[in-house]
């Protein structure tokens, strides 16, 4: 909660508007009085009447004082600015009922329809909830349909009635599934539109263009022109009159038309002035190629932040700094604003990278393998445009069929998780990251680091359906399959080889990747000459692919006399296209370095020797089919019969995926099979458990936070812990601490015999073998004796308090944990209690919100979880009960970021029901999450 009168700087945010432009949102201040007056007088008479129910030409000094002087608790107001102008104002005032506030908006006439009102409502709702407000009300004139629509379409359950000529609206502002979905849909449309402005500009200005060969400015201008950009290109250099056969302009102000994209390639110390010039000229987006920010330590990061905030305040997105550039191979755009000398071949793969060096690796690998691309984004230091923005655009891009991203750092994993999960359900998503991503930051990256368990980020990626790899080569191995082949509809693999030993090794590799060997033929006869061997091979492979248990084929061969790898590739490509199932190959043992056998090996248009094993489409015949169609006729060429790039949306690039080794082929295919199975499975539903009172939990936590100081954590008392868990329908097994033996007996009589006796030491209380726990004590004298014996046994460890607790039914001991991570937000962990988690680190992790499918996966992910499903003759435990507990825990942690740490240990899961024996909950001052119920761009 905001302290009285203190300016809540953390409420400030840059936002993306509906049309893709940007603006700045912040709390109002007394210094805004003149700007508010200027905003008011620019409004039409009708807008003023709709806001104030009367017309007033100017606001009085008293009104200005009231509107701009707020306490940020009972009275809150936000302004959205573009440059120095206010384009929208939203406010709430708490009513006599402390849980309710009246809300109102005023949006500039010139910025209507840009989503300003909905953004103000989201941010006001978050601020109100922080200040203990749970409901908004509003009085709106019936003719003010735009404002009524803002409330109606926000996803809240709005009550309305007509009273004395005014529409009275009232609604709860706690986030709902629907309101969250509305926010995410609006965010998706806005961010996708902002990326479309960058990737499909109608005019580009290269600022810093040069006539000196070898300079960055020279190369960028040359590549734009030579790539055949379909829009207008302008060179800006005050020291040149002519560049590349066109007139050079001394400044952006001399360019005769508005510029959509400005490519900035000026020295480091001149960038700020150029950004200001772009703001004055109304440029829509900036591509900053200039580097140096990462080399200037803290000053460089400060300048980088200032550059981004200045650009966003004037409606501009920023790619970079230190970007390699932007590429869009759409024939209607043909944008090559990059350091790549040629516009890449058009294809179905879109790529994102951060640093320029990794961008070069991705681009070079795609070029070497013959992989076409749809678009390429090099974010450099990723000060603004990120992989999340790119995925928002690619989700709707009809020319993108697969997505590859290389991350050095992740600024907003929660947002990445929800966008990637949505994208991966329709398009393969491949992410390359190192094991230290999120734990360390590369130079120039200004994001938080993670304190979550090391495996949490990888778990989040799996939860999202992402194919995670470690290197760019592994990324491209997978990409060449998903960009050229239909997805396998199951794990069955047919293995072919002309070597029995090699075939056996490949078959073993199939199993190790989690697939099954549905067919094995390691006796191919390829020494019989091309006219005989190829038809026989085609017949064998095609026949196997017709088997319903075969979902993909792997062919790996040793060199055969008279048979070229190109001929083999053409034969196998025909099989894949005819059967509509993926086929990959590895031609091992070939020493001729001139042969390109790593990547997509495309078939020639020549007819195959001998009879075909099935209907063979002409090599140039277009086949338009969905990526995952089980009856697909195979991949299609990216060029038409006349050699020109077609205008219709791309599907699959034509060619046979070839690999330098069988191991690389199987690793890539295994990842694709796992993804396909994830995509086709039932992911469950997002359900809220019954019997949850989130408001009661918030009140408890608010009281506890009054005891929290700075970054310290406060442990909940047993009574507070029981009350908080009770608000989420979680029952803690009763226990009672005691200071004397007779007090222990009294507590045991109240709890009911038998009882357990435990030390209060957090480690020894779980160690039956060390004497920290004594079970099934069934009368008073036995309890007295056990207390004395425990004191003697534990004397060597120290002096600890004790407690008695009701006995729980026997069952499997589990542990449930949750933390609030500064980078990832809430992280829930599950494992089998004891040595499995303490010594072997056998934990599973997930990031809320969790669907029923996510929870089922989480429970079954630890290796030791087999104990829950019936192990060594024991009856299975009540898995549904532990899934319900995890669902309640995940919801509680998602709703309350002030719960810094939570630990249930142990949880005994019986054959029917469970018991939470111990709970420890620490509360702290929550950091603002990187992804919340309001739209805000990453700092």
């Amino acid at each position: 909660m905001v302290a009285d009168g203190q300016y809540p700087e953390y409420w400030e945010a840059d936002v993306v508007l509906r049309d893709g432009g940007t603006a700045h949102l912040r709390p109002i201040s007394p210094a805004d009085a003149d700007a508010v007056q200027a905003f008011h007088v620019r409004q039409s008479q009708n807008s003023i009447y709709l806001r104030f129910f009367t017309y007033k030409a100017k606001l009085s000094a008293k009104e200005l004082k009231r509107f701009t002087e707020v306490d940020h608790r009972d009275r809150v107001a936000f302004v959205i600015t573009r440059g120095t102008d206010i384009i929208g104002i939203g406010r709430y005032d708490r009513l006599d009922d402390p849980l309710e506030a009246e809300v109102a908006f005023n949006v500039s006439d010139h910025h209507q329809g840009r989503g300003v009102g909905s953004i103000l409502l989201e941010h006001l709702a978050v601020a109100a909830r922080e200040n203990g407000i749970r409901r908004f009300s509003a009085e709106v004139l019936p003719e003010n349909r735009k404002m009524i629509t803002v409330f109606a379409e926000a996803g809240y359950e709005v009550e309305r009635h007509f009273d004395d000529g005014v529409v009275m609206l009232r609604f709860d502002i706690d986030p709902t599934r629907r309101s969250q979905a509305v926010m995410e849909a609006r965010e998706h449309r806005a961010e996708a539109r902002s990326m479309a402005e960058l990737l499909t500009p109608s005019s580009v200005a290269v600022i810093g263009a040069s006539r000196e060969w070898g300079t960055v400015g020279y190369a960028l201008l040359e590549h734009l022109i030579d790539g055949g950009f379909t829009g207008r290109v302008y060179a800006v250099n005050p020291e040149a009159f002519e560049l590349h056969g066109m007139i050079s302009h001394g400044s952006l102000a001399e360019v005769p038309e508005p510029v959509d994209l400005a490519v900035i390639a000026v020295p480091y110390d001149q960038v700020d002035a150029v950004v200001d010039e772009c703001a004055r000229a109304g440029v829509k987006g900036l591509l900053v190629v200039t580097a140096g920010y990462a080399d200037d330590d803290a000053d460089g990061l400060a300048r980088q932040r200032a550059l981004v905030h200045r650009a966003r305040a004037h409606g501009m997105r920023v790619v970079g700094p230190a970007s390699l550039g932007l590429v869009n191979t759409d024939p209607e755009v043909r944008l090559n604003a990059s350091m790549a000398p040629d516009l890449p071949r058009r294809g179905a793969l879109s790529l994102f990278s951060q640093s320029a060096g990794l961008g070069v690796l991705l681009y070079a690998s795609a070029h070497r393998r013959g992989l076409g691309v749809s678009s390429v984004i090099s974010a450099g230091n990723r000060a603004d445009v990120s992989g999340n923005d790119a995925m928002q655009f690619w989700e709707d891009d009809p020319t993108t069929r697969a997505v590859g991203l290389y991350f050095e750092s992740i600024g907003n994993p929660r947002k990445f998780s929800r966008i990637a999960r949505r994208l991966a359900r329709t398009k393969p998503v491949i992410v390359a990251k190192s094991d230290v991503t999120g734990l360390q930051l590369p130079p120039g990256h200004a994001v938080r680091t993670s304190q979550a368990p090391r495996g949490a980020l990888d778990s989040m990626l799996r939860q999202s359906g992402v194919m995670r790899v470690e290197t760019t080569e592994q990324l491209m191995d997978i990409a060449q399959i998903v960009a050229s082949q239909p997805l396998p509809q199951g794990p069955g693999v047919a293995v072919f080889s002309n070597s029995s030993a090699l075939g056996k090794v490949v078959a073993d590799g199939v199993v190790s990747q989690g697939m099954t060997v549905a067919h094995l033929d390691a006796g191919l006869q390829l020494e019989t000459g091309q006219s005989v061997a190829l038809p026989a091979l085609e017949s064998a492979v095609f026949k196997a692919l017709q088997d319903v248990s075969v979902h993909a084929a792997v062919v790996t061969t040793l060199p055969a006399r008279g048979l070229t790898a190109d001929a083999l590739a053409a034969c196998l490509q025909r099989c894949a296209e005819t059967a509509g199932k993926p086929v990959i190959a590895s031609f091992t043992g070939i020493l001729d370095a001139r042969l390109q056998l790593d990547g997509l090996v495309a078939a020639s248009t020549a007819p195959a020797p001998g009879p075909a094993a099935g209907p063979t489409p002409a090599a140039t015949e277009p086949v338009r089919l969905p990526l995952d169609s089980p009856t697909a006729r195979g991949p299609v060429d990216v060029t038409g019969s006349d050699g020109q790039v077609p205008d219709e949306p791309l599907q699959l690039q034509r060619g046979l995926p070839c690999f330098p080794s069988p191991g690389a082929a199987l690793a890539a295919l295994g990842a694709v099979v796992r993804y396909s199975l994830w995509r086709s499975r039932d992911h469950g539903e997002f359900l809220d458990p019954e019997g949850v009172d989130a408001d009661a939990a918030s009140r408890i936590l608010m009281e506890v936070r009054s005891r929290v100081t700075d970054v310290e954590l406060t442990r909940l008392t047993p009574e507070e812990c029981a009350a908080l868990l009770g608000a989420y329908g979680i029952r803690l097994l009763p226990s009672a601490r005691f200071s004397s033996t007779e007090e222990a007996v009294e507590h045991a009589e109240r709890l009911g015999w038998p009882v357990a006796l435990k030390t209060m030491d957090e480690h020894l209380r779980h160690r039956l073998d060390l004497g920290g726990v004594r079970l099934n004590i069934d009368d008073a004298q036995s309890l007295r004796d056990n207390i004395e014996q425990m004191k003697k046994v534990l004397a060597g460890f120290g002096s600890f308090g004790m407690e008695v607790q009701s006995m729980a039914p026997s069952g499997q001991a589990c542990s449930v944990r949750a933390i609030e991570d500064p980078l990832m937000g809430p992280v829930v962990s599950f494992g089998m209690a004891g040595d499995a988690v303490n010594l072997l680190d056998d934990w599973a992790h997930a990031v809320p919100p969790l669907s029923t499918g996510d929870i089922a996966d989480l429970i079954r992910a630890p290796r030791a979880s087999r104990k829950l499903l019936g192990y060594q003759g024991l009856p299975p435990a009540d898995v549904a009960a532990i899934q319900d507990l995890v669902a309640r825990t995940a919801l509680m942690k998602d709703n309350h970021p002030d719960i810094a740490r939570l630990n249930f240990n142990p949880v005994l899961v019986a054959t029917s029901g469970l018991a939470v024996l111990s709970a420890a909950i620490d509360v702290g001052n929550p950091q603002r999450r990187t992804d919340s119920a309001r739209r805000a761009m990453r700092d």
Side-chain angles (χ1 to χ4, degrees):
M1 183 180 292
V2 179
D4 287 329
Q6 182 177 342
Y7 180 82
E9 185 178 359
Y10 64 93
W11 281 352
E12 292 195 23
D14 295 323
V15 294
V16 183
L17 305 180
R18 181 179 298 162
D19 60 1
T22 58
H24 185 65
L25 180 146
R26 59 174 173 79
I28 205 166
S29 73
D32 290 318
D34 290 342
V36 171
Q37 186 72 276
F39 168 85
H40 180 84
V41 300
R42 286 195 301 267
Q43 294 290 80
S44 66
Q45 293 185 15
N46 185 59
S47 293
I48 293 173
Y49 171 73
L50 292 178
R51 169 63 181 89
F52 296 101
F53 297 8
T54 186
Y55 175 72
K56 50 183 69 179
K58 295 184 67 176
L59 298 173
S60 66
K62 183 177 180 180
E63 288 172 324
L64 285 173
K65 178 180 176 65
R66 180 175 179 276
F67 289 157
T68 59
E69 295 183 11
V70 296
D71 61 11
H72 307 297
R73 292 186 64 181
D74 296 331
R75 300 179 62 245
V76 169
F78 289 118
V79 295
I80 294 183
T81 60
R82 178 76 178 265
T84 58
D85 294 334
I86 293 175
I87 65 173
I89 304 173
R91 62 182 303 110
Y92 78 69
D93 292 88
R94 197 189 299 259
L95 301 177
D96 292 338
D97 180 351
L99 297 180
E100 185 170 341
E102 183 177 6
V103 65
F105 305 98
N106 200 358
V107 177
S108 168
D109 291 340
H110 300 293
H111 295 272
Q112 296 281 345
R114 303 187 70 195
V116 173
S118 61
I119 291 176
L120 285 167
L121 178 58
E122 290 171 12
H123 286 254
L124 284 170
V126 170
R129 289 197 300 271
E130 182 179 331
N131 288 325
I133 294 171
R134 289 294 177 265
R135 291 181 298 278
F136 273 168
S137 59
E139 298 181 1
V140 185
L141 290 174
E143 57 265 40
N144 194 354
R145 294 184 180 88
K146 290 182 179 179
M147 192 52 58
I148 294 175
T149 300
V150 168
F151 294 119
E153 295 182 351
Y156 299 111
E157 296 294 332
V158 181
E159 301 174 6
R160 65 173 74 185
H161 66 276
F162 195 72
D163 185 17
D164 196 22
V166 175
V167 179
M168 309 294 293
L169 305 174
R170 192 166 181 265
F171 53 94
D172 290 340
I173 57 174
D174 285 331
T176 64
R177 298 288 184 199
R178 182 166 174 262
S179 67
Q180 186 70 19
V182 168
M183 186 275 289
E184 291 174 5
R186 288 171 170 169
E187 173 191 69
H188 167 68
R189 289 192 297 268
E191 293 179 356
R193 180 68 179 272
S194 74
M195 291 303 300
E197 296 286 350
L198 292 168
L199 286 168
T200 59
S202 59
S203 57
V204 177
V206 180
I207 305 175
S210 173
R211 63 162 59 97
E212 184 178 347
W213 187 88
T215 63
V216 173
Y218 180 96
L220 287 167
L221 185 60
E222 180 183 46
H223 298 166
L224 265 170
I225 296 171
D226 292 350
F229 177 58
T230 58
R232 277 85 58 200
V233 179
Y234 299 98
V236 178
N237 187 330
E239 299 178 359
F241 177 76
E242 180 272 335
L243 290 170
H244 286 276
M246 65 176 67
I247 297 175
S248 175
H249 300 277
S251 68
L252 204 56
E254 298 178 10
V255 174
E257 68 166 323
V259 170
D260 291 337
L261 176 65
V263 181
I264 300 177
V266 300
Y268 173 57
D269 56 358
Q270 298 177 22
V271 173
D272 290 349
V274 170
V275 172
D276 290 337
E277 183 182 3
C278 292
R280 290 191 296 269
V283 172
K284 293 181 179 179
L286 306 178
L287 170 59
V288 183
V289 181
T290 304
Y293 292 86
D295 302 324
D296 202 7
D297 299 326
D299 289 340
L301 285 177
R303 290 188 63 181
Q304 184 171 286
R305 285 194 178 99
L307 180 158
V308 170
H309 288 309
R310 186 183 300 114
R312 289 172 175 174
H314 289 86
M316 300 180 291
R317 297 300 306 265
V318 179
V319 180
S323 170
L324 183 69
L326 295 172
V327 171
N328 185 354
T329 62
D330 187 328
E332 295 184 359
V333 181
R334 296 186 62 85
L335 175 70
N336 184 18
S338 78
M339 296 302 295
D342 301 305
L343 185 71
R345 177 181 181 178
R346 190 183 183 208
L349 175 67
S350 287
L351 296 172
F352 173 89
S353 68
Q354 291 174 0
S355 72
L358 290 170
V360 170
L361 289 178
L362 284 174
Y363 179 87
S365 182
H367 179 76
R368 187 185 75 248
R369 294 168 184 256
L371 263 174
V373 299
S374 174
S375 56
V376 180
I377 301 170
S378 168
N381 291 357
R382 202 201 54 190
D384 178 17
V385 167
S386 68
N388 291 339
D389 296 300
M391 289 193 297
Q392 298 276 37
F393 172 76
W394 289 329
E395 183 177 355
D396 298 330
D397 179 26
T399 67
T400 294
R401 289 296 173 265
V403 170
L405 308 99
Y406 193 106
F407 287 144
E408 296 170 84
S409 63
I410 302 180
N412 193 338
R414 272 171 64 83
K415 183 175 179 179
F416 170 86
S417 176
R418 60 180 171 83
I419 296 174
R421 178 192 287 246
R422 193 176 65 231
L423 176 60
R425 287 176 177 171
T426 57
K427 301 177 182 182
V429 180
I430 317 158
V431 171
K433 78 169 193 69
S434 72
D435 288 334
V436 298
T437 299
L439 304 176
Q440 301 175 7
L441 292 183
H445 290 236
V447 298
R448 300 174 182 178
T449 55
S450 175
Q451 299 170 5
R454 184 173 288 269
L457 189 54
D458 286 343
S459 297
M460 183 201 74
L461 294 177
R462 285 193 298 272
Q463 182 182 334
S464 304
V466 166
M467 290 176 275
R468 186 255 168 166
V469 296
E470 294 183 356
T471 67
T472 56
E473 288 302 302
Q474 292 170 347
L475 186 155
M476 286 305 191
D477 284 345
I478 297 174
Q480 69 182 28
I481 296 178
V482 297
S484 67
Q485 304 291 302
L487 292 178
Q489 300 300 301
V493 178
V495 177
F496 294 91
S497 180
N498 61 341
S499 164
S500 58
L502 184 57
K504 181 63 170 64
V505 169
V506 172
D508 291 343
V510 167
V511 175
S512 69
Q513 289 292 334
M515 300 176 286
T516 60
V517 179
H519 178 86
L520 174 60
D521 183 350
L524 295 177
Q525 298 298 318
L526 302 181
E527 303 282 351
T528 55
Q530 184 166 306
S531 61
V532 176
L534 286 183
L537 173 63
E538 186 169 353
S539 176
V541 174
F542 182 73
K543 181 179 179 180
L545 289 174
Q546 288 180 307
D547 188 337
V548 294
S549 66
V550 174
H551 307 104
V554 178
V555 180
T556 177
T557 63
L558 297 177
R561 289 190 303 272
L563 196 58
T564 66
D566 285 344
L568 282 171
C571 171
L572 297 175
Q573 181 179 331
R574 286 194 300 273
C575 292
E577 293 178 352
T578 305
K581 294 181 180 180
V583 177
I584 64 175
S586 175
F587 303 127
T588 59
I590 297 177
L591 303 180
D592 191 344
R594 295 170 298 177
L595 296 179
Q596 174 62 41
L597 299 176
D598 177 12
L600 288 184
V601 179
S604 68
T605 58
T616 303
T620 57
E621 179 184 349
V623 186
R624 305 296 174 189
L625 292 160
L627 177 63
D628 56 353
S629 170
T631 58
R633 299 287 295 174
V636 300
D637 201 347
V638 296
T639 58
S641 58
D642 58 356
Q644 299 299 312
V645 178
D647 292 334
E648 63 266 29
L650 296 177
Q651 292 293 328
L652 296 173
Q653 182 175 342
R654 196 169 192 202
L656 178 74
C658 295
F659 298 84
S661 70
L666 293 175
L669 180 61
V672 175
V673 167
R674 289 189 292 273
Y675 162 71
S676 182
L677 295 175
W678 174 89
R679 180 164 147 172
S680 62
R681 61 169 289 190
D682 180 7
H683 296 278
E685 302 175 276
F686 289 94
L687 301 176
D688 290 337
E690 297 180 354
V692 171
D693 189 347
D695 287 343
S698 295
R699 290 192 292 271
I700 295 168
L701 292 169
M702 189 175 295
E703 293 178 4
V704 174
R705 281 178 54 189
S706 64
R707 308 197 303 265
V708 177
T709 58
D710 298 327
V711 296
E712 299 298 323
L713 300 181
T714 296
R715 175 67 57 89
L716 265 60
T717 65
E719 295 74 21
E720 292 169 335
C721 189
L724 176 64
L725 297 180
Y728 276 83
I730 301 172
R731 180 178 178 272
L732 192 60
L733 193 67
S735 64
R737 301 181 184 184
F738 59 87
S739 56
S740 67
T741 301
E742 293 311 309
E743 184 182 3
V745 172
E746 292 177 5
H747 288 317
E749 294 284 357
R750 176 176 56 82
L751 295 173
W753 305 97
V755 296
L757 176 66
K758 299 180 181 181
T759 177
M760 295 306 300
D761 180 78
E762 61 178 326
H763 300 295
L764 291 173
R765 64 182 285 108
H766 306 301
R767 298 299 300 271
L768 184 65
D769 56 332
L770 296 179
V773 185
R774 292 174 179 259
L775 305 176
N776 290 312
I777 302 172
D778 53 13
D779 57 46
Q781 187 55 47
S782 178
L783 177 59
R784 295 185 183 97
D785 294 341
N786 274 281
I787 291 173
E788 294 304 316
Q789 293 173 9
M790 182 175 286
K791 288 180 179 178
K792 293 178 182 178
V793 170
L794 299 182
F797 298 103
S799 179
F800 313 105
M802 298 183 190
E803 69 173 6
V804 290
Q805 186 173 43
S806 299
M807 281 295 299
S810 60
Q812 297 291 349
C814 305
S815 183
V816 178
R817 291 182 179 177
I819 66 166
E820 181 72 18
D821 183 64
L823 178 65
M824 300 177 64
V827 178
V828 176
S829 305
F830 173 80
M832 304 302 295
D835 290 345
V837 293
N838 296 334
L839 297 180
L840 303 179
D841 200 30
D842 187 19
W843 288 99
H845 313 283
V847 175
L850 302 182
S851 70
T852 52
D854 295 330
I855 295 170
D857 290 344
L858 179 68
I859 298 301
R860 291 161 177 79
R863 295 186 298 276
S865 65
R866 287 178 295 170
K867 296 168 67 176
L868 293 171
L869 307 176
Y871 181 68
Q872 292 185 340
L874 295 175
D878 190 345
V879 175
I882 188 64
Q883 290 182 172
D884 179 71
L885 175 65
V886 170
R888 295 175 185 277
T889 303
L891 180 63
M892 177 169 61
K893 189 66 207 72
D894 200 21
N895 287 345
H896 306 290
D898 32 10
I899 299 177
R901 290 191 304 229
L902 176 152
N903 187 15
F904 297 154
N905 185 31
V907 177
L908 288 183
V909 187
T911 55
S912 177
L914 58 74
V916 181
L917 271 60
S918 176
I921 300 177
D922 295 324
V923 173
N925 286 318
Q927 296 191 42
R928 182 159 56 95
R929 282 180 175 168
T930 56
D931 191 35
S932 65
R934 61 173 194 155
R935 281 174 281 170
M937 302 173 75
R938 179 182 54 84
D939 290 335

